[in-house]
Amino acid sequence: MLELKNVSTRYGQIPILMQVNIQVARGETVCILGANGAGKTTLLKTILGMVKPTAGEIYFNKQRIDSLPPHNIIAQGIAIVPEREGLFPKLTVENNLLMGGYYEQDPGNILARLAEVYQAFPWLPQRLKQKAGTLSGGERKMLGIARALLANPQLLLMDEPSLGLAPATINEVFNVITRIKRDKEITILLVEQNARKALLVAERGYVLQKGAVILEGPAAALQENEIVKKSYLAAGSF
Amino acid sequence: MGNKIYRYSLAGLSTLGICMALYVCLSSALLVALIVIALAIVILSVGERKNVIDKVYRLIGDNKALNLGIIALFILLLPFLVQGNNYLLHIAIMAGIFSIVALGLNFQIGGIGQINFAPAAFYGMGAYTSAFLSVKMGLSPWLGTLCGLLMAIVLGVVVGFPALKARGYYLSLVTIALQIIFTLMIVNSPWIGGPNGIPGIPSYQIGGFSFRTPVALGGIQLPYQVNFLYLVYILLALFALAANRLYNSRVGLAWNAIEQDPIVAACQGINLTNTQLLAFCLGAAYAGIAGAIYGHYTSFIGVENFDFSQSLIFICMVILGGTDNVPGVVLGAVLLTMIDEKLRDFSGYRLLMYGIVLIIILIIRPKGLLPKRIRVYQQKDRSEYSSHSAVVTGGSR
Amino acid sequence: MELIISQILNAVMLACTYTLVGIGFSLFFGAMDIVVFCLGDVAIAGAFAIMALSTVMGVYASLSGILPAPISGIIVVFIGACFTAGLVTLMYRAVIVPFEGKNINASLLSTIAAGIVIRELIGLFYPEGRNPHAFPQLLPAGLIGDNVLLSWRNIIIIAITFIMVMLLYWFVNRTKTGLSIQAISQNKEAAIMVGINWHRIIVITFLIGGFLLGIGGFLTASYFNSLRFDMGAMYGLKGFCVAVVGGLGSIYGAIVGGLLIAFVEVFVTAFIPGGTAYSSVAAFLIVVLFILFKPEGILGEKTVEKV
Ligand SMILES: Nc1ncnc2c1ncn2[C@@H]1O[C@H](COP(=O)(O)OP(=O)(O)OP(=O)(O)O)[C@@H](O)[C@H]1O
Ligand SMILES: [Mg+2]
């Protein structure tokens, strides 16, 4: 469904991604592991067209998308859960959610999806009129996920959904991810620092280091891999 | 050895070329001047791409004495070159006066990165103080000029204080407001002539010799403008050298640090208050002197010489020439003064063309004709050139 | 008492003329983080367009032949506002886009230069452009009661401003495009991430802001009953002041800021001997004080300086 072929990007003169090859099949959950600054967020932005690759090709549903502007790419059915600061702080929670459904023309569909989202996040309906900027960090993160779900995307990009959350909340978030996978047959590209959790929900994974893919394989295999064990599953990281 | 002579003459030739280009601009019609400027822009752009400009800079920098000598000679000979044409000399004087103001303004725009929209108020403060004291109080113009300088500094503090608290658009609004208040106050103050200005301002005197008497030099009768030409350019040379020294000193570095990020600069131990106020006061001092000289030169000042649009012109000079680059700022001031004067032939269209030329230049050279240079930390030992670190400061924000 | 009431009315009307241009500043600043310095000139250009339509071009006269006068008036003003909407969008393309993300100072200067160009084009090419013109009386002049200030014209000026602000409120808070404008001004990156076509929304913002500017220019010219090609410079500055006092980026702040500045001006003129000459001085002083002591404006949110 999504295919990156030899994609390289740079900010100014500094290369960030180098010849990255990634494939995600329909219905699959793929996770990307990498240290801080490895280029994971940049990778997602490149897929969305917010950063233009200097070389390589990106295909979505067999169509080449790397030269399209972001809104055209997103309109094809990709949504993202942003890493941080991804909300509109002065808009209400409700309007933030509705911005997720930017490309849905049918109000009926939006209502149906809202109902689904409220089921996943039962605290949301009471907070609809609150300004998003006044939510707690964890609530914001979940609102970000809810907003992405409202787009009913074919491909969901998640940029560290567990970032800055308490362990209990992290469990909740991963439960939601599992539920989305089960119920909606959605394709997920998950970027995570929490490798243990990520490798549990994902079928396959890639390890990104300094902008290059150094490892890839089924999640189970990665869990056993020495490099992954040492860098991402070391004692203490849950 | 031969190489050295070759480089020496090359440096001289480039400076001479620049002088001649300026002379052609000065003495010919608008169209020719614009063509020369367009050519210069093309040469600069191509040169930058091919890294020739850096070499020229080094060439000129290595032979400072020679090049300053050529420029001095050029100014000295200018009255003869234009055959005593007093209008052309007038343009040259105004270019010098405006250069001084622009150099002062550059301390704020180029130094601490704050656009001050009130340079014409500083300039006017110097002019009005000196003119008032010498016309109404009978003070000697020299003393008047000194007082003008001091009063301008006072105004510099007044404008500089807000800059300590506000930045960016807010500061621009504060300075615009102060500029407009300044002009409104002048218009509403009959004791300094109000809207009618101050006429009959006396000229400078040295031991009975008035600067307003024509002189005969080398058997040629030259108009009185020559006196002012030399006076203004001697001052300009001093001020430009001082500005250059400052820019390369710790003060200049501190200014640029503030431009980049005031909070980080403060964390580095830079005294924000003093350093920023210094930029405003020094700038005001430059403008104050220039204003006082302007009054004593033209013998008449009116509020229209010191209003908001004049401030804009000063800002354009700095930005057009290249912020934080002394030769650039002077070049910008000289070129704009000449273009401005030549546009007077098209009096109705003058401001319109001004606006259009400004937009075009901003689009094709947003960093000015001679952009800011890289700071190079080496002065003493040239052989170590390559081993020294260069730090880029400023740039796009 | 009579005097005070009439002065209050006067101030409210002046505030109306300032508010719309102040909203323009806030709208564009919110959307793009830039201050467009030529807005006053754009607004006055709109007033000139309306004047041209109703005098030299004779559109108003021929419309009045077939339609009732108020409707032809509305049509003429609408066309004028559309003209400024186009003009400000053209400004965006010509003098803002080239400097996008590059250098704040360059875009600041280019918009100032654009203001000069607009002003001079009017002065040069409008018939008798450099002379003051009496603005055509598109608003009915009759009095309501016997207070000189309580005329239909003044009531309509206030009503139009009110309607415009309400429409803007509705648009910005109740429509998808309006919400997108807010989204962009609050978090550009997130706006792009939800798929908002950034460029399109910016152009729409400029069209809307430009339309309001045209109305603002019309109200100003009607309020002063006269029009000069160089009025825009001061009008724009006042608009910027209004936006800053209210809180740059806050649309409702522009209303409050407009009222504050207008009240200061009117009351200095009316109640301080010889105050006429100093009304602008007082207004600008207020602005300076605001920037120094409450830079976030009255309604703007406090921005924490980032370390
Ligand atoms: N706009 C930018 N301009 C310049 N460099 C950038 C920019 N954005 C990111 N970078 C650099 O690109 C590199 C990769 O950044 P990226 O955000 O993709 O990392 P990441 O893998 O998401 O890290 P983290 O786990 O900390 O979120 C970093 O070194 C970062 O400094
Ligand atoms: Mg990241």
Side-chain angles (χ1 to χ4, degrees):
Chain A
M1 170 180 242
L2 178 75
E3 187 174 7
L4 277 75
K5 280 190 191 160
N6 290 322
V7 170
S8 306
T9 60
R10 51 181 61 205
Y11 285 119
Q13 289 304 308
I14 309 161
I16 306 291
L17 294 181
M18 280 162 281
Q19 308 251 330
V20 171
N21 285 294
I22 287 177
Q23 284 115 31
V24 183
R26 185 174 294 277
E28 206 181 15
T29 299
V30 171
C31 77
I32 295 186
L33 305 175
N36 293 119
K40 307 180 297 293
T41 302
T42 308
L43 175 70
L44 297 188
K45 286 187 180 172
T46 312
I47 295 172
L48 287 180
M50 296 168 69
V51 179
K52 290 291 165 206
T54 45
E57 294 153 22
I58 304 176
Y59 294 89
F60 181 63
N61 286 340
K62 303 271 177 329
Q63 266 187 31
R64 193 162 171 185
I65 56 169
D66 48 77
S67 57
L68 298 178
H71 58 97
N72 285 350
I73 295 176
I74 290 162
Q76 294 188 13
I78 304 184
I80 185 169
V81 177
E83 183 175 11
R84 53 175 81 91
E85 306 292 327
L87 300 177
F88 308 111
K90 290 187 217 159
L91 293 187
T92 59
V93 169
E94 185 176 22
N95 281 335
N96 264 283
L97 275 176
L98 290 177
M99 290 317 286
Y102 196 74
Y103 282 104
E104 184 57 63
Q105 302 297 333
D106 182 357
N109 282 347
I110 298 222
L111 285 179
R113 279 179 221 161
L114 273 176
E116 279 175 33
V117 165
Y118 292 159
Q119 220 167 24
F121 303 101
W123 57 272
L124 265 177
Q126 298 126 45
R127 305 293 198 85
L128 290 180
K129 295 296 168 209
Q130 191 178 344
K131 292 259 167 77
T134 60
L135 292 176
S136 81
E139 288 166 343
R140 279 183 221 182
K141 203 75 214 195
M142 287 189 266
L143 178 54
I145 298 173
R147 187 180 71 190
L149 290 180
L150 220 75
N152 195 24
Q154 299 175 41
L155 172 66
L156 179 62
L157 311 177
M158 301 181 106
D159 198 349
E160 305 196 28
S162 71
L163 181 80
L165 301 184
T169 328
I170 294 184
N171 284 335
E172 212 174 301
V173 165
F174 275 94
N175 286 340
V176 170
I177 296 177
T178 321
R179 207 164 339 130
I180 300 170
K181 270 186 62 171
R182 197 186 56 215
D183 299 348
K184 311 195 75 173
E185 293 173 7
I186 215 169
T187 312
I188 301 177
L189 183 60
L190 173 68
V191 163
E192 257 300 345
Q193 298 278 355
N194 193 330
R196 189 160 307 215
K197 292 261 179 215
L199 288 174
L200 279 180
V201 295
E203 282 101 43
R204 290 196 304 116
Y206 292 82
V207 176
L208 204 59
Q209 193 179 69
K210 293 188 179 148
V213 173
I214 55 161
L215 262 183
E216 60 171 296
L222 284 181
Q223 259 167 330
E224 299 306 317
N225 185 288
E226 282 308 313
I227 303 176
V228 177
K229 270 187 177 167
K230 218 171 87 201
S231 324
Y232 304 104
L233 296 172
S237 68
F238 307 101
Chain B
M1 190 60 211
N3 191 20
K4 202 167 176 193
I5 293 175
Y6 170 68
R7 289 174 59 84
Y8 196 71
S9 46
L10 212 58
L13 277 179
S14 12
T15 316
L16 203 63
I18 295 168
C19 289
M20 287 330 288
L22 284 178
Y23 172 70
V24 170
C25 284
L26 174 68
S27 57
S28 47
L30 176 67
L31 192 63
V32 181
L34 286 180
I35 290 174
V36 171
I37 293 172
L39 267 177
I41 291 178
V42 171
I43 292 175
L44 281 170
S45 303
V46 173
E48 257 162 27
R49 214 163 294 149
K50 302 234 159 96
N51 284 328
V52 182
I53 297 298
D54 271 333
K55 284 185 196 139
V56 175
Y57 262 112
R58 209 167 315 150
L59 217 58
I60 294 180
D62 285 348
N63 302 296
K64 269 207 188 93
L66 169 74
N67 295 293
L68 288 180
I70 291 179
I71 295 174
L73 198 68
F74 173 65
I75 302 286
L76 208 64
L77 293 181
L78 190 63
F80 303 97
L81 281 177
V82 301
Q83 292 151 350
N85 178 328
N86 52 13
Y87 178 58
L88 293 184
L89 286 179
H90 170 74
I91 297 180
I93 295 171
M94 289 316 294
I97 291 179
F98 286 165
S99 296
I100 296 177
V101 182
L103 279 177
L105 179 61
N106 185 39
F107 293 140
Q108 296 123 45
I109 298 184
I112 57 176
Q114 307 267 47
I115 292 201
N116 164 20
F117 280 91
F122 297 158
Y123 177 60
M125 195 61 160
Y128 265 94
T129 308
S130 186
F132 177 77
L133 289 177
S134 51
V135 172
K136 304 265 157 90
M137 308 275 167
L139 206 68
S140 134
W142 295 112
L143 279 179
T145 305
L146 193 64
C147 295
L149 169 94
L150 294 176
M151 285 304 289
I153 292 180
V154 172
L155 190 63
V157 175
V158 171
V159 179
F161 256 108
L164 302 176
K165 297 201 72 170
R167 291 187 67 82
Y169 296 119
Y170 292 103
L171 182 74
S172 30
L173 185 54
V174 170
T175 53
I176 290 174
L178 290 174
Q179 168 69 55
I180 289 176
I181 290 175
F182 177 82
T183 23
L184 285 173
M185 294 308 274
I186 288 186
V187 172
N188 292 319
S189 306
W191 52 279
I192 45 172
N196 301 324
I198 303 182
I201 306 169
S203 177
Y204 296 113
Q205 308 246 341
I206 297 181
F209 171 76
S210 162
F211 270 51
R212 233 172 257 148
T213 39
V215 284
L217 264 182
I220 303 176
Q221 186 75 15
L222 291 172
Y224 75 88
Q225 272 88 353
V226 200
N227 306 316
F228 282 97
L229 183 79
Y230 294 149
L231 173 71
V232 165
Y233 277 87
I234 287 170
L235 280 176
L236 174 61
L238 289 176
F239 284 163
L241 287 178
N244 207 31
R245 283 297 285 272
L246 259 171
Y247 172 58
N248 287 317
S249 74
R250 296 184 62 83
V251 178
L253 187 59
W255 280 343
N256 283 171
I258 293 176
E259 173 191 10
Q260 291 297 297
D261 192 328
I263 296 169
V264 174
C267 294
Q268 301 293 322
I270 292 171
N271 181 334
L272 286 186
T273 312
N274 292 352
T275 326
Q276 296 200 68
L277 274 185
L278 184 69
F280 275 88
C281 293
L282 271 181
Y286 274 42
I289 287 214
I293 295 177
Y294 173 76
H296 294 295
Y297 162 54
T298 55
S299 84
F300 170 80
I301 54 173
V303 70
E304 64 279 0
N305 298 320
F306 311 106
D307 60 5
F308 182 57
S309 49
Q310 185 64 48
S311 273
L312 279 183
I313 294 177
F314 288 137
I315 293 167
C316 291
M317 288 170 177
V318 174
I319 306 257
L320 170 79
T323 51
D324 224 353
N325 181 343
V326 170
V329 171
V330 173
L331 185 67
V334 170
L335 283 181
L336 268 193
T337 314
M338 291 194 302
I339 295 181
D340 198 29
E341 285 291 340
K342 293 192 187 300
L343 282 177
R344 276 181 210 280
D345 301 344
F346 307 83
S347 58
Y349 293 82
R350 175 170 161 254
L351 271 176
L352 176 66
M353 305 229 315
Y354 208 101
I356 293 175
V357 166
L358 185 61
I359 293 176
I360 292 175
I361 288 181
L362 278 173
I363 288 178
I364 52 181
R365 279 191 85 81
K367 290 187 175 166
L369 290 175
L370 302 179
K372 177 185 259 184
R373 305 277 305 149
I374 289 170
R375 261 173 207 283
V376 181
Y377 288 103
Q378 49 79 39
Q379 290 300 333
K380 310 253 156 61
D381 190 352
R382 251 158 218 286
S383 61
E384 282 181 44
Y385 190 86
S386 56
S387 69
H388 279 279
S389 57
V391 178
V392 185
T393 58
S396 61
R397 286 195 301 140
Chain C
M1 201 56 213
E2 187 85 325
L3 180 67
I4 292 187
I5 290 178
S6 66
Q7 291 305 337
I8 289 177
L9 246 175
N10 195 12
V12 170
M13 274 183 315
L14 191 62
C16 289
T17 66
Y18 289 162
T19 296
L20 290 182
V21 71
I23 288 178
F25 274 99
S26 271
L27 212 51
F28 301 154
F29 183 79
M32 290 203 64
D33 272 335
I34 49 160
V35 170
V36 186
F37 264 102
C38 56
L39 295 188
D41 294 294
V42 170
I44 294 304
F48 267 93
I50 293 169
M51 184 163 74
L53 288 171
S54 10
T55 56
V56 277
M57 289 164 77
V59 175
Y60 181 68
S62 42
L63 278 176
S64 314
I66 40 174
L67 293 168
I71 294 189
S72 23
I74 290 174
I75 293 178
V76 165
V77 172
F78 183 82
I79 299 176
C82 290
F83 168 74
T84 50
L87 183 61
V88 91
T89 313
L90 182 75
M91 289 291 115
Y92 166 67
R93 290 225 124 272
V95 299
I96 297 173
V97 171
F99 306 108
E100 228 174 280
K102 273 189 198 147
N103 184 337
I104 266 192
N105 291 347
S107 69
L108 201 114
L109 281 173
S110 68
T111 54
I112 289 178
I116 297 179
V117 170
I118 295 177
R119 211 176 303 154
E120 291 300 313
L121 284 178
I122 298 175
L124 284 168
F125 297 112
Y126 195 86
E128 302 271 314
R130 290 194 189 269
N131 300 332
H133 295 261
F135 193 68
Q137 296 268 343
L138 295 180
L139 302 179
L143 293 183
I144 310 171
D146 44 42
N147 187 318
V148 189
L149 278 162
L150 208 59
S151 67
W152 279 111
R153 184 192 64 140
N154 298 355
I155 298 295
I156 291 176
I157 287 180
I158 296 173
I160 290 180
T161 311
F162 184 76
I163 292 171
M164 285 298 140
V165 171
M166 283 297 133
L167 276 178
L168 185 69
Y169 179 87
W170 170 82
F171 178 79
V172 166
N173 288 302
R174 294 280 179 274
T175 67
K176 200 163 151 185
T177 312
L179 285 173
S180 310
I181 294 178
Q182 288 194 57
I184 283 178
S185 78
Q186 289 169 31
N187 191 340
K188 180 177 163 189
E189 192 169 272
I192 294 175
M193 282 182 172
V194 298
I196 292 175
N197 182 346
W198 183 80
H199 187 77
R200 190 175 138 255
I201 296 295
I202 292 290
V203 169
I204 291 178
T205 310
F206 271 81
L207 285 172
I208 290 169
F211 189 87
L212 290 179
L213 285 174
I215 305 284
F218 167 68
L219 295 185
T220 309
S222 300
Y223 171 73
F224 289 110
N225 241 328
S226 76
L227 200 51
R228 271 177 60 103
F229 76 106
D230 56 357
M231 259 164 87
M234 199 51 138
Y235 184 48
L237 275 180
K238 290 278 171 66
F240 187 23
C241 292
V242 161
V244 166
V245 168
L248 202 49
S250 155
I251 292 171
Y252 317 111
I255 302 171
V256 184
L259 283 170
L260 182 73
I261 301 261
F263 268 89
V264 168
E265 287 195 347
V266 166
F267 279 68
V268 167
T269 309
F271 298 112
I272 294 179
T276 319
Y278 295 100
S279 70
S280 289
V281 174
F284 282 118
L285 274 180
I286 294 271
V287 174
V288 172
L289 292 179
F290 252 94
I291 290 175
L292 292 188
F293 299 109
K294 201 169 181 325
E296 71 276 9
I298 299 175
L299 290 189
E301 252 142 76
K302 198 160 190 107
T303 49
V304 184
E305 187 120 25
K306 280 174 276 182
V307 178

